[in-house]
Amino acid sequence: MKTLTKSLKSQVLIGLALGALLVGSQTLAANSGQADYASNSTPETVSYKITDGYGEYSGYGATKNQAAGNARTACIMQKVAAYENRFGVTPDEDTADMFIDACINR
């Protein structure tokens, strides 16, 4: 299996974005409100915000890069969900690539 078809590629990218979103939200949930009892301080959470003509997407993480990645993942997932709600189908590979590019280049 040397190459993936475009459809499979876009489904893999969407799956990876969803997985990153889930891992980021689980990490945030695990870290929110819990104190590090050894040092008696709470872990710092960095936020990152993306705004475009369709909405505002926030991401949180231990570092700025994690927070930015989570915000971009939220952006992609929201665009895919809006497309599915509007048209009733998963976006084709070209449309999914446009969503990914639009969110990553913010």
Side-chain angles (χ1 to χ4, degrees):
M1 186 164 110
K2 290 184 180 180
T3 60
L4 295 174
T5 64
K6 283 189 173 190
S7 177
L8 182 58
K9 177 184 170 187
S10 66
Q11 290 176 357
V12 167
L13 289 173
I14 291 170
L16 289 173
L18 178 59
L21 178 63
L22 291 174
V23 169
S25 65
Q26 288 173 350
T27 303
L28 178 60
N31 290 335
S32 65
Q34 292 182 351
D36 179 7
Y37 295 109
S39 66
N40 203 16
S41 66
T42 59
E44 292 188 32
T45 301
V46 179
S47 65
Y48 190 87
K49 196 177 290 185
I50 297 173
T51 303
D52 66 6
Y54 299 101
E56 190 172 276
Y57 315 98
S58 298
Y60 304 93
T63 65
K64 183 178 178 181
N65 285 339
Q66 286 178 342
N70 289 337
R72 288 182 173 97
T73 301
C75 175
I76 294 166
M77 296 313 299
Q78 182 61 36
K79 290 185 183 306
V80 169
Y83 186 93
E84 289 175 344
N85 286 336
R86 182 172 182 189
F87 297 107
V89 295
T90 302
D92 60 84
E93 59 273 356
D94 292 332
T95 304
D97 285 342
M98 286 190 317
F99 293 159
I100 292 167
D101 289 342
C103 294
I104 289 176
N105 292 327
R106 290 263 167 209

